[in-house]
Amino acid sequence: MAQLSDDCFAFGGSLLGIDAARRMIFERVTPVAGIERVPLRQALGRTLAEDIVAPIAVPGYDNSAVDGYAVRFDDLRADRPTTLRCIDRIAAGHDPSARLTQGVAARIFTGAILPEGADVVIMQEDCERDGDRVTIRPGIRRGANTRRAGEDVALGSTVLMAGRRLGPADLGLLAALGFVEVPVRRKLLVALLSTGDEVREPGAPLQRGQIHDANRYILAGLLERLGVEVSDHGIVRDDEARLGDALREAAAESDLIITSGGVSTGEEDHVRTAIANDGSLYFWRLAIKPGRPVAMGQIGSTPLAGLPGNPVAALLTFALVARPMIEALSATTPHVAKRFRVVADFPYKKRAGRREYVRVSLDPSAGLAKARRYHKEGAGMLTSLTETDGLVELPEETTKLEPGAEVDFLPYSELI
Ligand code: AMP
Ligand code: MG
């Protein structure tokens, strides 16, 4: 008797590996986004278009790292307390009035300019003040509690490289260097659409057999976090002609098209046909689970990522396929997700030759964190995303996993 398969990934044929797909993306997709200058406050998440060279040093002057007393190290006794006379009082933002001469200390506050002659600051907690005298305990090293001019950023050094996606700390650094605006790549315009006769907008009443569109909300959120502009093309029916129209329209106005659903081999899956009709298809199956049916191609000259309909697969393939395409289009340095070693507390069997991702929660209570597999595994399970911390990544060659084995863990914050 013929054995029917319950493994929807069982059918043969060659599947493209993830690394090969990634190489193909960076080979075929080239930057489209020109350069503009934007105020710092609008630069978060944008891609830096030029290297940034420091026009000033940070800090610009030697200063104190603490509230205390600035002294000359050579005035201090190494073996017993030293009492010095206190002159001057130097607050942040004010210039010291006098040079520190031998045998005197200056009251100083965090961030204030170190007076000439001083080469160490004693924390106020380590001193005893009595009138205009201050007594300092021994044991401090030269240079302690001081910050030297240029120790953070040296004048003329390259602090940020073109291609960097600017984060909050980057903006702080640019501000500290005095930049008012910054050269960035133009924002990409990404057309986003869902496919499926069963897919309805949230808020629309559901007939039997219908579902609300979850993917457009996941994908729009991911796109916005990547600093692109989303052009929402709604939901398109499973109809070759309508899908063709929608994709041509999206291609005409955007830098990239992202679809979900309709990329499998069913008769109602029209995305591949539409790509073949109006452009070219580079790949449509990857050696991964979940997310095997995922297409990359172009409509006219606009690249397209055709993600699978199952939400978990859509999210994963966004990270593996759509995100590199966005990076290539915007000349952004590709993000390489960091993996962390954890211990699997579940057994697992898989086929060789494909990379698999298992949704897990981490229990960091003792030693190496333990990855606990989520109890529902369908690629359509939205709660399997909201209730977990990330994915265990099982490489192509693995076929079997025993509890207690060390595996690679990818937190969602690294993946997407
Ligand atoms: P497909 O890739 O079109 O065969 O869809 C695979 C599964 O994902 C089906 O169960 C669909 O109903 C579901 N699906 C497709 N599009 C969406 C969507 N936008 N939101 C939520 N589920 C979807
Ligand atoms: Mg469908």
Side-chain angles (χ1 to χ4, degrees):
M1 201 174 84
Q3 181 81 47
L4 288 181
S5 173
D6 68 350
D7 180 357
C8 61
F9 291 85
F11 98 97
S14 71
L15 303 175
L16 188 65
I18 294 179
D19 297 331
R22 192 175 165 88
R23 275 196 302 278
M24 187 183 287
I25 290 167
F26 286 107
E27 268 163 34
R28 306 243 170 145
V29 183
T30 47
V32 294
I35 295 174
E36 62 187 0
R37 306 189 88 80
V38 298
L40 273 195
R41 284 295 296 275
Q42 286 161 33
L44 185 65
R46 303 291 295 274
T47 298
L48 193 60
E50 294 163 12
D51 291 350
I52 298 292
V53 174
I56 57 172
V58 180
Y61 45 89
D62 294 349
N63 68 96
S64 177
V66 297
D67 293 335
Y69 294 86
V71 303
R72 297 151 54 106
F73 181 78
D74 291 337
D75 285 353
L76 301 175
R77 294 171 197 277
D79 51 347
R80 57 197 150 105
T82 309
T83 299
L84 299 171
R85 189 165 57 85
C86 234
I87 57 133
D88 216 350
R89 184 177 179 283
I90 316 161
H94 299 271
D95 227 350
S97 50
R99 180 172 199 285
L100 212 59
T101 50
Q102 198 180 353
V104 297
R107 179 77 171 121
I108 195 166
F109 300 93
T110 308
I113 301 176
L114 213 56
E116 226 188 301
D119 54 4
V120 60
V121 178
I122 320 297
M123 282 174 76
Q124 61 193 21
E125 293 82 351
D126 296 333
C127 300
E128 255 163 61
R129 179 77 186 255
D130 182 12
D132 71 344
R133 307 265 141 185
V134 61
T135 301
I136 295 156
R137 289 202 289 271
I140 196 90
R141 65 172 173 81
R142 194 190 296 273
N145 301 320
T146 64
R147 304 191 281 216
R148 293 294 166 188
E151 72 173 20
D152 189 1
V153 181
L155 173 69
S157 59
T158 301
V159 286
L160 297 170
M161 305 277 275
R164 186 176 176 97
R165 244 168 46 74
L166 294 169
D170 298 331
L171 299 186
L173 177 56
L174 290 164
L177 290 170
F179 287 94
V180 176
E181 33 178 51
V182 60
V184 294
R185 292 280 172 172
R186 173 178 66 74
K187 261 193 181 201
L188 293 180
L189 183 62
V190 178
L192 178 62
L193 61 89
S194 296
T195 71
D197 283 356
E198 78 282 30
V199 183
R200 290 284 179 279
E201 290 291 357
L206 294 182
Q207 310 296 326
R208 235 171 108 74
Q210 297 181 338
I211 59 171
H212 289 128
D213 188 349
N215 290 348
R216 241 163 72 248
Y217 292 83
I218 296 174
L219 297 171
L222 295 173
L223 286 167
E224 268 151 27
R225 284 218 304 228
L226 289 181
V228 307
E229 182 107 21
V230 177
S231 160
D232 192 342
H233 287 246
I235 301 163
V236 182
R237 311 268 326 237
D238 288 317
D239 175 283
E240 198 179 314
R242 285 197 207 189
L243 188 61
D245 289 345
L247 292 180
R248 279 190 299 275
E249 188 187 300
E253 62 155 61
S254 56
D255 300 308
L256 172 68
I257 306 167
I258 296 181
T259 65
S260 73
V263 276
S264 207
T265 44
E267 283 150 41
E268 299 296 344
D269 294 323
H270 301 293
V271 173
R272 278 192 300 129
T273 321
I275 299 175
N277 289 344
D278 288 307
S280 37
L281 186 68
Y282 301 143
F283 61 76
W284 64 279
R285 289 187 311 163
L286 286 187
I288 55 167
K289 183 188 177 184
R292 188 191 61 180
V294 48
M296 182 208 164
Q298 59 188 62
I299 300 283
S301 59
T302 305
L304 176 147
L307 309 182
N310 276 314
V312 177
L315 178 135
L316 177 63
T317 53
F318 178 91
L320 298 176
V321 175
R323 181 177 184 160
M325 290 172 81
I326 288 167
E327 290 165 343
L329 285 166
S330 56
T332 304
T333 307
H335 170 74
V336 179
K338 289 185 196 71
R339 277 90 170 145
F340 301 91
R341 296 299 275 175
V342 301
V343 171
D345 85 340
F346 55 91
Y348 196 85
K349 278 203 178 107
K350 70 180 270 298
R351 289 167 162 261
R354 71 186 180 202
R355 208 176 289 180
E356 298 199 8
Y357 294 87
V358 186
R359 283 146 276 165
V360 297
S361 304
L362 275 200
D363 171 7
S365 49
L368 221 47
K370 258 200 193 116
R372 187 162 300 139
R373 187 177 182 188
Y374 192 65
H375 58 283
K376 302 181 207 169
E377 60 172 316
M381 299 275 187
L382 285 157
T383 52
S384 71
L385 293 174
T386 57
E387 308 264 311
T388 56
D389 299 318
L391 306 173
V392 159
E393 184 180 50
L394 298 172
E396 285 76 357
E397 59 277 12
T398 299
T399 54
K400 202 170 173 217
L401 194 70
E402 300 291 355
E406 267 191 37
V407 288
D408 279 342
F409 170 72
L410 261 163
Y412 291 128
S413 56
E414 275 297 314
L415 184 72
I416 44 177

